[in-house]
Amino acid sequence: MPGPCSYDRPRRIRRGAALTLFLASVLATGAATGTWSDRTQGAAERPAPDATAVGAHAPDAAPADRAAVERAASEAVADGKSGAQAAADVVSRSGDRWSTIYSPGEFKDFQAQLDGAYVGVGLWVRQVPHGRIEVSRVQPGGPAARAGIAVGDRLRAVDGRPSRGAPVTDVVARLRGAASGRTRGPAAVGTPVTLDLQRGTRRWSATLHRTRLRSRNVVIDRPAGAHGPTRVKIAAFAKGTGAAVRRAVRRASPEGGMLLDLRGNTGGLVTEAVATASAFLDGGLVATYDVRGSQRALYARRGGDTRLPLVVLVDGGTMSAAELLSGALQDRGRALVVGSRTFGKGSVQMPSELPDGSVAELTVGHYRTPAGRNVDGAGLMPDVVVGSGAEKRARTVLSGLGGGA
């Protein structure tokens, strides 16, 4: 999923490394009313080490105005004040939950995350009923896993600050060490963080030390053997995800088919989501999106496998780029989608450099599926709706398509 260190409340609301579809993999420069640089290409969404926000949300009332943000930053810098602080104030007043501000160091860290690398403790968290925060994923081999923290554990506090009722993004900022105004960007490798946890009636504290981790974003296996279905679990779309899926498709058993598991997928590089779609499509439309009223489109490459039986698993944690991929495969009739309604994050963000070197990532539009469905605030409804036992049902559906074992 990050915000500059010179301000607190706006940063805590927006940071979180998981929640934006952001159509640029390098920073675009230009005047406040100018065009995006030709270097702007690809697509990115903050992947979510130490973060997962799960649940439905309503669309924002109005996006933050880019000209107003840049004007406020310029005036503040001219007065010797923080341009990032002024920009964050404008974003906060707009009510646009997806726009955010990065310091230069944080933007560099964000770009490193797109390679699957980050500094943290290897935890993903989500908010559950009554405002409680619980662990939704633990990275194998990370500090949290070594400390015995498990999925479902309740995270009561981070460094003594209660988590209940706090925005998930606030909790994530504390885990990563960036919630203090004294810190420029995420904390350094080796810095400690103390977690208060609960499992059932047991309560305990654990002090972890942050380390540099690399997410294993694609996991491929065949639980039923060589001739059974290939299961591909994608946690986030980092660099190389599309190529990994394409290799898995080539090696998959035509009789077994494939389960593409996007449950809890918090997004990532949209170019990689499109590359993943290309593994299953022979060209054609993947999504359309608008940028300040200008309509654009994303297309799959030709040559994908259009015959391998395919079922996609989704849930309320399937977000943004993962929703884009699910919607494309569903609308194109390439896969049946099984699970529960997805999160509903379909707004588009683009970055702009501010006078003090910080980066404003602002909402500029929304994307739609090939059939024209608007995802933002609504999510995607699966073809087969099921809560518990979704994977078992997905295997049944796959066998009906000619795959499975």
Side-chain angles (χ1 to χ4, degrees):
M1 69 46 61
C5 65
S6 56
Y7 51 93
D8 247 359
R9 192 175 70 88
R11 177 193 63 240
R12 292 200 305 266
I13 293 172
R14 292 171 181 83
R15 69 194 318 157
L19 307 178
T20 38
L21 178 65
F22 147 34
L23 294 176
S25 59
V26 293
L27 177 62
T29 59
T33 59
T35 59
W36 297 100
S37 163
D38 290 339
R39 294 186 297 114
T40 304
Q41 54 188 325
E45 171 188 60
R46 291 189 295 271
D50 297 326
T52 299
V54 177
H57 68 279
D60 295 307
D65 181 75
R66 178 185 173 197
V69 169
E70 295 188 348
R71 182 169 58 252
S74 296
E75 291 173 354
V77 170
D79 291 340
K81 300 177 182 178
S82 167
Q85 173 71 68
D89 289 343
V90 173
V91 169
S92 180
R93 289 194 298 271
S94 76
D96 181 352
R97 76 168 76 190
W98 305 122
S99 291
T100 192
I101 311 295
Y102 290 104
S103 72
E106 288 163 345
F107 194 76
K108 182 178 179 180
D109 176 73
F110 156 53
Q111 291 177 308
Q113 291 179 36
L114 301 181
D115 288 318
Y118 69 100
V119 174
V121 297
L123 275 185
W124 283 253
V125 300
R126 63 185 175 190
Q127 193 167 66
V128 295
H130 308 297
R132 294 170 177 164
I133 301 294
E134 74 172 28
V135 176
S136 60
R137 181 179 163 202
V138 181
Q139 179 160 335
R146 293 195 298 270
I149 298 172
V151 171
D153 287 347
R154 180 179 167 190
L155 182 58
R156 298 175 56 85
V158 179
D159 284 335
R161 297 179 62 182
S163 298
R164 184 170 182 172
V168 173
T169 49
D170 188 354
V171 178
V172 171
R174 297 179 207 166
L175 286 170
R176 301 201 62 206
S180 169
R182 298 186 298 273
T183 305
R184 294 294 305 179
V189 169
T191 54
V193 57
T194 299
L195 311 182
D196 293 340
L197 299 135
Q198 182 173 344
R199 183 184 302 163
T201 58
R202 178 195 171 202
R203 297 185 180 185
W204 79 102
S205 295
T207 298
L208 312 180
H209 291 82
R210 300 178 180 94
T211 188
R212 185 165 297 281
L213 298 168
R214 179 165 290 277
S215 298
R216 189 183 178 193
N217 290 308
V218 182
V219 177
I220 301 167
D221 63 359
R222 288 183 180 172
H227 298 290
T230 299
R231 181 174 58 192
V232 178
K233 170 69 175 176
I234 305 177
F237 292 97
K239 291 178 182 177
T241 298
V245 173
R246 189 175 287 272
R247 288 193 296 271
V249 169
R250 287 198 298 264
R251 297 169 184 169
S253 164
E255 296 80 19
M258 180 172 288
L259 293 176
L260 184 62
D261 191 349
L262 301 180
R263 291 174 297 178
N265 184 305
T266 51
L269 288 162
V270 176
T271 46
E272 294 295 339
V274 173
T276 300
S278 299
F280 304 103
L281 299 170
D282 187 20
L285 186 64
V286 173
T288 59
Y289 62 98
D290 60 280
V291 177
R292 293 184 293 275
S294 175
Q295 298 299 312
R296 308 180 188 182
L298 299 168
Y299 294 95
R301 291 172 51 192
R302 296 188 65 85
D305 188 327
T306 61
R307 297 186 177 184
L308 183 72
L310 178 65
V311 168
V312 179
L313 276 163
V314 300
D315 65 4
T318 303
M319 301 173 64
S320 204
E323 291 175 288
L324 183 150
L325 172 61
S326 303
L329 296 175
Q330 187 180 44
D331 282 2
R332 296 283 302 274
R334 181 60 187 89
L336 286 177
V337 179
V338 176
S340 53
R341 185 185 292 273
T342 62
F343 182 85
K345 169 65 178 69
S347 59
V348 176
Q349 281 71 42
M350 281 189 173
S352 178
E353 186 172 10
L354 300 176
D356 61 355
S358 56
V359 177
E361 179 190 305
L362 305 177
T363 300
V364 296
H366 297 82
Y367 74 82
R368 292 179 180 271
T369 70
R373 290 183 292 167
N374 181 17
V375 174
D376 203 51
L380 296 173
M381 182 62 71
D383 299 297
V384 180
V385 178
V386 58
S388 60
E391 185 166 336
K392 182 178 180 180
R393 178 69 65 86
R395 290 180 181 278
T396 301
V397 171
L398 185 60
S399 66
L401 298 176

